[in-house]
Amino acid sequence: MNTFKKEVQQGLEANPKTLPSKYFYDKKGDALFVEIMNMAEYYLTRSELDIFKNKTEELIQALDLNKGSYFELIELGAGDGTKTKELLKKLVHENYNFDYFPIDISANALALLEQDLKTEIADLSVKTQQGDYFEVLDTLKANKNPKIILFLGSNIGNLTDELATKFIYKLGTNLNPGDKLLLGVDLIKAKEIVGPAYNDSKGITAAFNINLLERINKQLEANFNLNQFEHQPEYNEDEGIAKSFITSTTKQTVEIKAIGKSFQFKAGEKIHTEISRKYNDKLIQKIIADTDFSLARKIMDSKAYFADYILNRT
Ligand code: AVI
């Protein structure tokens, strides 16, 4: 059975029901996420761009980069590279000696990024790496060149704290002492700011969440009636986790042919689809406590909404 089918079945048979957020990102989901990043309410992307634009020198210092010695700058899930370009431009213009390795699962995203970088930063050496992060890192670890890993956008926040620790620990096994991880995370803040980022006025986030059911309809021959499910986000500042749910607005039965089963929904029953963890120093310290990283620096945007933490591989 393919993994998608297996995970959908497991999630819908669980109580309470869940579906993994990693399945948001099909072609339509990717396009909706680009729209999300451009929304007025979604402050995360703008805040991290503010750091990369206006605190570039601080980033370079905190990463302990110097012009005389070669390093590899490796980005996990590079996307369109908007934020990273700010750093790359400065490094190239100031003659730092490095190669840029963007890693992405999507060959198409990498091809577009490479083309764009060729025109925008002609002198940059780009070595695109298509594939799973850890498979690529495993091949890169064969050389002992100093490495800087970029993991931006609060992508770590879509993992539970326990899985975040495992992820960072595993990154460490692919690095050497002295290598660095630049971890971009959203910070815990008031619900008036976080809430709208996950419940925008145009309904883009709602479409992004509900698209998961549309994907199941298409790929697993299901009959979710998309008008009978609603996007329902939740956030409370004490916990610091934005959660997305899909709520069934009525009592209904959904058939998923590829699984060969039907699933019952009560009126008001929720499917938990995503967590977006927000952080503070204490949480970051706790998450890295059982990894081979120590906290070196924290660089924030002008509103202190977002932080890029620099972690040293010990
Ligand atoms: C990709 N990830 C960091 C986004 C987030 O903020 O958790 C995904 C997202 N979900 C709803 N809006 C954006």
Side-chain angles (χ1 to χ4, degrees):
M1 214 198 292
N2 72 43
T3 326
F4 180 48
K5 193 161 82 175
K6 199 172 86 193
E7 293 188 349
V8 167
Q9 177 168 357
Q10 273 170 1
L12 294 181
E13 282 175 349
N15 185 15
K17 293 181 170 65
T18 62
L19 286 170
S21 61
K22 66 181 173 193
Y23 294 119
F24 284 154
Y25 303 93
D26 63 356
K27 205 167 170 213
K28 184 172 173 188
D30 283 345
L32 285 166
F33 186 56
V34 171
E35 279 192 60
I36 287 176
M37 288 191 290
N38 291 320
M39 292 178 341
E41 294 97 331
Y42 198 74
Y43 58 84
L44 286 81
T45 315
R46 269 193 320 278
S47 306
E48 196 169 33
L49 181 60
D50 178 20
I51 300 174
F52 272 72
K53 245 189 183 155
N54 300 312
K55 300 207 168 155
T56 334
E57 192 52 50
E58 251 185 81
L59 286 173
I60 292 173
Q61 276 175 20
L63 290 169
D64 208 13
L65 303 177
N66 66 71
K67 292 178 189 168
S69 42
Y70 174 80
F71 60 91
E72 295 178 349
L73 187 64
I74 302 164
E75 181 162 10
L76 309 182
D80 69 358
T82 309
K83 294 171 269 190
T84 317
K85 270 193 260 178
E86 299 295 328
L87 175 65
L88 295 171
K89 277 182 195 157
K90 194 164 169 89
L91 292 174
V92 168
H93 293 152
E94 296 187 0
N95 287 315
Y96 282 84
N97 180 13
F98 72 106
D99 293 308
Y100 174 51
F101 295 78
I103 309 180
D104 209 292
I105 200 77
S106 157
N108 184 45
L110 285 173
L112 291 173
L113 176 65
E114 193 170 22
Q115 196 47 48
D116 177 55
L117 289 171
K118 228 175 232 160
T119 43
E120 277 211 46
I121 320 175
D123 292 334
L124 174 69
S125 159
V126 183
K127 300 191 171 172
T128 59
Q129 309 286 316
Q130 193 269 325
D132 170 83
Y133 297 159
F134 290 106
E135 276 165 24
V136 174
L137 287 173
D138 195 50
T139 64
L140 294 180
K141 105 174 167 203
N143 73 62
K144 296 279 173 275
N145 295 324
K147 292 176 175 45
I148 312 287
I149 307 247
L150 307 179
F151 192 44
L152 309 182
S154 211
N155 282 319
I156 193 88
N158 297 132
L159 301 179
T160 60
D161 293 350
E162 198 183 325
L163 287 177
T165 298
K166 285 196 176 144
F167 182 88
I168 294 171
Y169 173 81
K170 206 165 161 196
L171 283 182
T173 63
N174 288 288
L175 298 173
N176 289 305
D179 289 344
K180 295 191 165 54
L181 168 62
L182 192 163
L183 187 66
V185 301
D186 195 15
L187 296 172
I188 294 181
K189 65 187 85 63
K191 64 176 188 306
E192 287 72 18
I193 301 163
V194 177
Y198 294 91
N199 198 18
D200 62 282
S201 56
K202 291 194 186 129
I204 299 167
T205 312
F208 179 66
N209 197 10
I210 298 291
N211 179 53
L212 191 46
L213 303 185
E214 212 174 319
R215 182 172 185 179
I216 298 172
N217 278 352
K218 277 188 281 197
Q219 292 188 7
L220 302 180
E221 297 167 83
N223 65 353
F224 279 99
N225 179 343
L226 305 182
N227 298 318
Q228 293 181 172
F229 289 89
E230 263 174 11
H231 170 58
Q232 192 185 327
E234 286 177 14
Y235 176 74
N236 88 59
E237 204 178 324
D238 293 336
E239 191 184 30
I241 303 178
K243 296 177 187 168
S244 283
F245 298 88
I246 295 174
T247 303
S248 173
T249 55
T250 179
K251 178 173 184 287
Q252 57 187 319
T253 302
V254 174
E255 188 190 359
I256 306 184
K257 283 210 178 107
I259 296 176
K261 280 197 168 171
S262 290
F263 297 88
Q264 315 293 329
F265 290 85
K266 298 184 198 102
E269 186 174 352
K270 299 193 285 188
I271 312 170
H272 188 188
T273 52
E274 184 180 46
I275 60 161
S276 301
R277 207 303 162 243
K278 313 300 167 196
Y279 300 86
N280 55 27
D281 294 357
K282 209 171 139 199
L283 278 162
I284 293 289
Q285 291 284 15
K286 196 170 159 217
I287 285 167
I288 65 168
D290 288 331
T291 71
D292 295 324
F293 285 95
S294 66
L295 180 53
R297 273 282 281 284
K298 175 191 192 185
I299 302 177
M300 289 189 289
D301 63 293
S302 58
K303 292 181 173 160
Y305 281 2
F306 200 95
D308 282 319
Y309 282 94
I310 314 285
L311 309 177
N312 285 345
R313 169 70 160 78
T314 50

